[in-house]
Amino acid sequence: MLVKLCLVWILLAVFSSALQIRAIGVNWGTSASHPLPPTKVVELLKSNNISKVRLFDADPLVLRALSGSRIGVTIGIPNLMLKSLNSSKKVAQSWVHDNVTRYFTNGGGIQIEYIAVGDEPFLQSYGQEFQPFVLGAVTNIQVALVEAKLVDQVKVVVPCNSDAYQSESGLPSKGHFRPDLNQTMIQLLTFLSKQHSPFFVNIQPFLSLHQNKNISLDFALFKATAHPLNDSHKTYKNSFDTSFDTLVAALSQVGFPDMDIVIGQIGWPTDGAMNATSAIAQTFMESLVSHFQSKVGTPLRPRKPPMETYIFSLLDEDQRSITNGNFERHWGVFTFDGQAKYHMDLGQGSRIPVNAQEVEYLSARWCVVNNNKDMSNVTAIAQDTCSVADCTALSPGGSCFNISWPGNVSYIFNSYYQQHDQKSDSCDFGGLGLITTVDPSVDNCRFAVELHTSVSASWSRSMLVWTFLTTLSISMSFLGFRH
Ligand SMILES: *[C@@H]1O[C@H](CO)[C@@H](O)[C@H](O)[C@H]1NC(C)=O
Ligand SMILES: *[C@@H]1O[C@H](CO)[C@@H](O)[C@H](O)[C@H]1NC(C)=O
Ligand SMILES: *[C@@H]1O[C@H](CO)[C@@H](O)[C@H](O)[C@H]1NC(C)=O
Ligand SMILES: *[C@@H]1O[C@H](CO)[C@@H](O)[C@H](O)[C@H]1NC(C)=O
Ligand SMILES: *[C@@H]1O[C@H](CO)[C@@H](O)[C@H](O)[C@H]1NC(C)=O
Ligand SMILES: *[C@@H]1O[C@H](CO)[C@@H](O)[C@H](O)[C@H]1NC(C)=O
Ligand SMILES: *[C@@H]1O[C@H](CO)[C@@H](O)[C@H](O)[C@H]1NC(C)=O
Ligand SMILES: *[C@@H]1O[C@H](CO)[C@@H](O)[C@H](O)[C@H]1NC(C)=O
Ligand SMILES: *[C@@H]1O[C@H](CO)[C@@H](O)[C@H](O)[C@H]1NC(C)=O
Ligand SMILES: CC(=O)N[C@H]1CO[C@H](CO)[C@@H](O)[C@@H]1O
């Protein structure tokens, strides 16, 4: 009897802890000039017990690194492929064959759970660019999965931005889909519910705050002191619940009140804007995770929190588009090189996550402005360079906003130099650049040294001699400085 009870208890414990941990995944994007090698990223995921990952394409190197890892994978299909996937079953078949079936057969051992067709294809700012192709693409991919006998393992989903639904009064109970999307949504939801697939939605309270959507920082951060929003008999205490229930109401209005919901992206950036800091990000993430773990759900879905949540994002990406704002390159829970930015609860209580191990960097060299030269044109040169270099940390609220001139120019020169694998001619700037081995970082403003990637590796081998010569010349120019 005692043994039986123990067994039940152990099973329950294993089951519930598995549930708790399994519910949290991460988005792994690779829009970086020097991405952390996929094998290092997979080690990072494993050492932090992250058991689900969402990818934005089907990079064979990434998928190979994930094989045998038992990490649940969502593979994304870029928006630009939707048109051809809509018009041709053959294209869909070969996409599935190349990017899914292959990894199930011959011991590939990748646990592919979802195919995300498009990345926010209904985004309002895209207009009709992708919307007309989504349903056709979804259908053709589904048919290809049936033919490949993979429908039991892999579900097709369409990640939507929260701008797909709205409520004029701001009250969740009045939520509805955007009128221009209503019919498409009904068709999509009909498809999803037939396949028992969930609705993927990206909810970003930071964006609502940044776009001045009438919410306070406290409301976004789940603070008990936030002014609540009353919706008849229901009280909303945070921005997440408000947005989530607006979606629930929109789903109900078109006849899908019980649709499962997965949060495809949620997070908080740490640089490049006001209120984008590690401290605030930590508060947000801790509150979010404890909100899910408390299992209270939302006023419209009590005790039924989203079935899965994918944090946005795993790593910072210095090539992400900044049309929405300079914070876009700083969503990572980890910096570009896999170092944790703040404490977080990934199912084992709040603690500092485990960093990426044995990360290989380029040499400890930086490019700075040589202030012994005529600097009358330097600001114009620096501003031009920002169209290529990553200057996002210099914006108001950013980690390098208040470093003094010409430190900001050096920051820009260095970013360009690192992005170009520390090639000597990328620290020229009309003779104004100077290579140094002294780290110019100040306070929170980090002058990064980029990662050693296979591309930069072959280059640096061929430049060994050059390195020796410049080291010599750097030392000499430093001697010159002192005099
Ligand atoms: C991962 O899970 C294992 C087993 O549950 C645990 O021992 C370990 O501390 C966890 N690691 C982290 C970083 O949470
Ligand atoms: C989608 O594909 C179908 C089948 O090929 C085609 O009839 C339809 O015109 C396509 N839709 C658009 C918007 O091009
Ligand atoms: C598989 O996915 C990759 C990356 O997204 C893409 O470039 C490639 O075209 C896909 N293969 C096929 C046959 O569509
Ligand atoms: C917007 O803010 C005003 C007060 O500043 C408040 O009365 C109103 O209810 C808010 N609207 C929403 C949708 O939260
Ligand atoms: C969407 O369509 C449903 C069903 O046809 C209808 O009841 C609802 O009013 C429509 N909503 C909008 C916002 O157009
Ligand atoms: C919302 O309701 C609570 C009690 O349920 C009340 O204390 C609060 O003043 C109400 N807020 C507004 C803005 O009406
Ligand atoms: C600054 O720019 C102007 C116009 O392009 C140019 O004539 C001048 O020589 C530049 N000065 C220096 C020091 O490079
Ligand atoms: C500005 O610089 C001071 C030190 O001079 C530092 O304490 C402060 O955190 C900086 N502010 C920002 C936003 O980086
Ligand atoms: C650098 O900072 C100074 C003020 O300290 C500012 O005038 C200048 O525009 C900044 N330059 C760039 C390229 O951001
Ligand atoms: C806590 C915090 O940093 N709040 C700031 C958020 O950003 C606004 C400006 O957008 C500042 O006024 C707040 O102080």
Side-chain angles (χ1 to χ4, degrees):
M1 184 63 189
L2 197 64
V3 174
K4 265 189 190 162
L5 267 177
C6 274
L7 252 176
V8 168
W9 181 82
I10 289 169
L11 278 176
L12 272 176
V14 167
F15 189 56
S16 66
S17 71
L19 264 184
Q20 244 183 27
I21 295 166
R22 282 190 62 206
I24 304 255
V26 294
N27 285 266
W28 171 6
T30 52
S31 304
S33 65
H34 294 67
L36 196 61
T39 48
K40 286 261 183 277
V41 177
V42 173
E43 279 170 28
L44 182 66
L45 296 171
K46 283 188 193 159
S47 56
N48 287 290
N49 290 338
I50 295 168
S51 58
K52 284 183 189 285
V53 72
R54 176 176 163 203
L55 310 172
F56 293 88
D57 54 15
D59 182 341
L61 289 179
V62 167
L63 288 166
R64 217 169 295 147
L66 281 163
S67 81
S69 67
R70 300 209 291 166
I71 293 172
V73 179
T74 298
I75 298 182
I77 298 181
N79 287 334
L80 286 172
M81 288 195 72
L82 296 180
K83 189 173 182 181
S84 57
L85 287 169
N86 167 71
S87 45
S88 160
K89 285 195 165 52
K90 279 246 150 50
V91 171
Q93 278 168 344
S94 62
W95 189 91
V96 166
H97 180 268
D98 246 40
N99 288 326
V100 183
T101 317
R102 193 150 71 92
Y103 299 105
F104 275 93
T105 51
N106 60 50
I110 303 185
Q111 212 171 304
I112 300 171
E113 296 177 337
Y114 299 108
I115 295 174
V117 177
D119 182 20
E120 303 188 335
F122 304 130
L123 199 65
Q124 198 157 19
S125 60
Y126 292 152
Q128 293 289 303
E129 200 178 341
F130 306 113
Q131 184 183 328
F133 310 117
V134 176
L135 269 148
V138 159
T139 309
N140 286 342
I141 291 287
Q142 178 71 20
V143 168
L145 283 174
V146 171
E147 287 167 1
K149 301 195 169 55
L150 289 173
V151 270
D152 293 333
Q153 289 110 306
V154 186
K155 297 201 178 302
V156 178
V157 297
V158 178
C160 294
N161 185 277
S162 55
D163 78 355
Y165 53 90
Q166 53 198 200
S167 165
E168 279 72 23
S169 59
L171 300 179
S173 61
K174 300 285 189 299
H176 60 82
F177 286 109
R178 231 166 58 212
D180 65 293
L181 263 184
N182 205 35
Q183 287 316 306
T184 306
M185 274 300 171
I186 292 170
Q187 291 172 312
L188 174 62
L189 290 164
T190 306
F191 168 87
L192 294 175
S193 90
K194 211 167 123 200
Q195 313 301 336
H196 306 288
S197 293
F199 187 82
F200 261 57
V201 65
N202 302 340
I203 293 181
Q204 295 289 20
F206 177 83
L207 291 182
S208 311
L209 185 74
H210 189 75
Q211 295 158 358
N212 250 321
K213 293 255 175 75
N214 205 18
I215 70 160
S216 71
L217 181 60
D218 284 357
F219 199 61
L221 295 179
F222 301 82
K223 290 267 169 76
T225 49
H227 191 69
L229 172 70
N230 291 347
D231 185 354
S232 51
H233 298 302
K234 304 202 173 353
T235 305
Y236 286 88
K237 295 180 178 157
N238 63 73
S239 173
F240 173 80
D241 285 358
T242 308
S243 183
F244 187 87
D245 276 4
T246 307
L247 170 61
V248 172
L251 289 168
S252 303
Q253 196 213 27
V254 293
F256 298 88
D258 299 320
M259 189 83 201
D260 280 326
I261 298 173
V262 166
I263 309 299
Q265 291 183 354
I266 190 163
W268 200 276
T270 60
D271 207 338
M274 299 300 281
N275 297 317
T277 68
S278 296
I280 299 179
Q282 174 169 328
T283 303
F284 177 76
M285 298 303 286
E286 285 182 342
S287 310
L288 179 77
V289 172
S290 79
H291 186 54
F292 290 156
Q293 284 175 349
S294 73
K295 300 200 169 69
V296 289
T298 62
L300 287 182
R301 286 211 176 161
R303 288 172 298 284
K304 195 171 184 253
M307 54 184 273
E308 289 167 20
T309 299
Y310 291 81
I311 289 163
F312 192 80
S313 180
L314 182 63
L315 299 157
D316 285 348
E317 298 163 68
D318 66 351
Q319 305 284 294
R320 273 179 67 80
S321 156
I322 49 172
T323 42
N324 282 335
N326 287 335
F327 54 83
E328 283 288 349
R329 294 178 177 165
H330 305 277
W331 286 102
V333 170
F334 296 90
T335 51
F336 71 98
D337 51 348
Q339 311 302 300
K341 297 178 183 173
Y342 49 81
H343 282 68
M344 174 153 196
D345 187 349
L346 290 164
Q348 318 277 321
S350 185
R351 54 160 94 166
I352 193 88
V354 178
N355 290 337
Q357 302 298 308
E358 290 162 30
V359 176
E360 292 181 49
Y361 294 91
L362 298 174
S363 318
R365 274 203 302 262
W366 295 263
C367 175
V368 295
V369 67
N370 182 347
N371 44 20
N372 284 349
K373 295 275 174 76
D374 176 354
M375 301 218 285
S376 45
N377 286 348
V378 81
T379 298
I381 294 173
Q383 266 155 8
D384 276 359
T385 308
C386 279
S387 61
V388 179
D390 179 17
C391 302
T392 52
L394 293 168
S395 41
S399 58
C400 299
F401 179 56
N402 64 2
I403 63 168
S404 54
W405 189 89
N408 56 359
V409 173
S410 291
Y411 184 89
I412 294 164
F413 283 9
N414 183 60
S415 167
Y416 186 87
Y417 173 67
Q418 301 295 337
Q419 284 188 346
H420 292 82
D421 295 321
Q422 302 186 346
K423 288 185 183 124
S424 61
D425 63 357
S426 64
C427 185
D428 183 33
F429 303 106
L432 289 169
L434 174 73
I435 294 167
T436 171
T437 52
V438 180
D439 186 350
S441 302
V442 269
D443 299 332
N444 284 335
C445 177
R446 175 180 175 196
F447 282 58
V449 169
E450 261 302 350
L451 297 177
H452 188 79
T453 62
S454 45
V455 180
S456 57
S458 58
W459 174 79
S460 67
R461 265 196 300 277
S462 68
M463 294 307 266
L464 260 177
V465 177
W466 173 87
T467 305
F468 172 74
L469 290 175
T470 35
T471 312
L472 205 70
S473 79
I474 292 165
S475 327
M476 280 159 67
S477 70
F478 261 91
L479 286 176
F481 256 108
R482 303 272 145 81
H483 287 287

